[in-house]
Amino acid sequence: MKSNRHMENVSRIVVKIGTSSLMHGNGKLNLQAIDQLSYTLTGLVNEGKQVILVSSGAIGAGMGQLGLTERPEQIQQQQALASIGQSELMTVYQQRFAAYGQRISQVLLTHDILDYPQSRQYVHNTIEQLLNWGVIPVVNENDTVAVNELDHRVTFSDNDQLSAIVAVRSHADLLIMLSDIDGFYTSNPHKDPHAKLIKELHQVTADSLKRAGGAGTVFGTGGMATKLTAAADILKHNQMMVLANGTNPSIIFNIMNGEEVGTLFISKENSEESNDDRVVK
Ligand SMILES: Nc1ncnc2c1ncn2[C@@H]1O[C@H](COP(=O)(O)OP(=O)(O)O)[C@@H](O)[C@H]1O
Ligand SMILES: N[C@@H](CCC(=O)OP(=O)(O)O)C(=O)O
């Protein structure tokens, strides 16, 4: 694939991976995806980059543990599932990253912590210290206490937005959002066979938001809408985001090589592209 994006100066990267990329359709953890993710992120750290992983999947992993095929409605059940699944998820991450000699840590956050200057400072200090030590912080929402964020019918806050907040606060050069789809399309490709992949977007407009629909699987939550809101936040802070397919997380290497994969969200001033938002023909 042609290399025409400039990622040479990217040194701090936030990677967000969604539940749909971490789970099989039958509710089991996708160990191959987790292994490739661990291998790839360790590879980036070995190259001298600083990496923060924002990983969903706690509720999905909890559902898998209990053999549930539908996400329960009750908040307390979702929270209990997250509590079961988070420790399973971290156990698997710990094992796979350790196989590549990479240290990781767990950071559980709620959105409101970041609204309080002192807590925000503590989070900032901790993450900076971890990155200085070459550790990969693995961030998730602290689902047991984050009641509003769990009920996606009431609010649309979730890990997509959390990853943007983390990327903004940590002044990351790039947010890579991995999902179960190749990028942002002109409409939901699972419903519209004529949907076309948008390669680059400079602005999240009301029209782009209209094109974004809900989650694709029972395990996914926010769908495309929360990814676009995250992208809007990133663009507001003059940062970059790539939305790409996480089926094979080593796609991150292609992104870092500047290859044209997924959808790049970048301000017009920072873009190499003279055309407006490009659509694959
Ligand atoms: N315009 C669009 N472009 C791409 N995907 C879309 C669009 N609108 C809705 N979607 C849906 O969003 C899904 C990705 O969101 P989600 O299921 O929440 O994944 P994740 O678990 O990775 O966060 C896609 O699989 C697709 O079904
Ligand atoms: N904290 C929740 C994350 C929910 C969430 O944002 O899920 P997703 O849309 O798959 O990224 C969990 O770990 O299950």
Side-chain angles (χ1 to χ4, degrees), residues 73-99:
E73 298 269 324
Q74 274 187 25
I75 297 280
Q76 74 180 51
Q77 292 187 352
Q78 294 185 37
Q79 290 175 312
L81 287 172
S83 168
I84 295 169
Q86 179 67 20
S87 66
E88 188 198 3
L89 207 54
M90 286 310 294
T91 303
V92 177
Y93 275 133
Q94 195 78 53
Q95 286 171 351
R96 295 324 305 150
F97 275 105

Side-chain angles (χ1 to χ4, degrees), residues 57-168:
I59 296 174
M63 285 167 63
Q65 284 272 321
L66 297 195
L68 304 181
T69 49
E70 302 249 322
R71 195 182 166 102
E73 298 269 324
Q74 274 187 25
I75 297 280
Q76 74 180 51
Q77 292 187 352
Q78 294 185 37
Q79 290 175 312
L81 287 172
S83 168
I84 295 169
Q86 179 67 20
S87 66
E88 188 198 3
L89 207 54
M90 286 310 294
T91 303
V92 177
Y93 275 133
Q94 195 78 53
Q95 286 171 351
R96 295 324 305 150
F97 275 105
Y100 300 110
Q102 176 61 49
R103 284 203 175 78
I104 60 166
S105 74
Q106 175 180 253
V107 177
L108 297 178
L109 296 177
T110 48
H111 294 233
D112 60 341
I113 279 180
L114 299 166
D115 294 334
Y116 295 101
Q118 193 158 17
S119 329
R120 191 167 68 219
Q121 189 62 46
Y122 288 141
V123 172
H124 174 83
N125 294 347
T126 305
I127 289 182
E128 287 298 322
Q129 185 59 68
L130 290 164
L131 293 175
N132 284 340
W133 278 334
V135 175
I136 298 180
V138 182
V139 179
N140 196 355
E141 253 182 64
N142 189 355
D143 289 325
T144 309
V145 297
V147 173
N148 290 331
E149 277 89 32
L150 276 170
D151 190 348
H152 294 278
R153 266 156 285 229
V154 175
T155 78
F156 279 90
S157 295
D158 75 348
N159 274 354
D160 292 335
Q161 282 174 57
L162 186 67
S163 65
I165 292 171
V166 169
V168 167

Side-chain angles (χ1 to χ4, degrees), residues 19-20 179-180 183 185 187-188 190 211 213-216 221 223-224 227:
T19 310
S20 49
S179 186
D180 62 348
Y185 284 73
S187 58
N188 186 347
H190 290 139
R211 297 171 182 278
T221 52
M224 202 41 60
K227 293 176 194 1

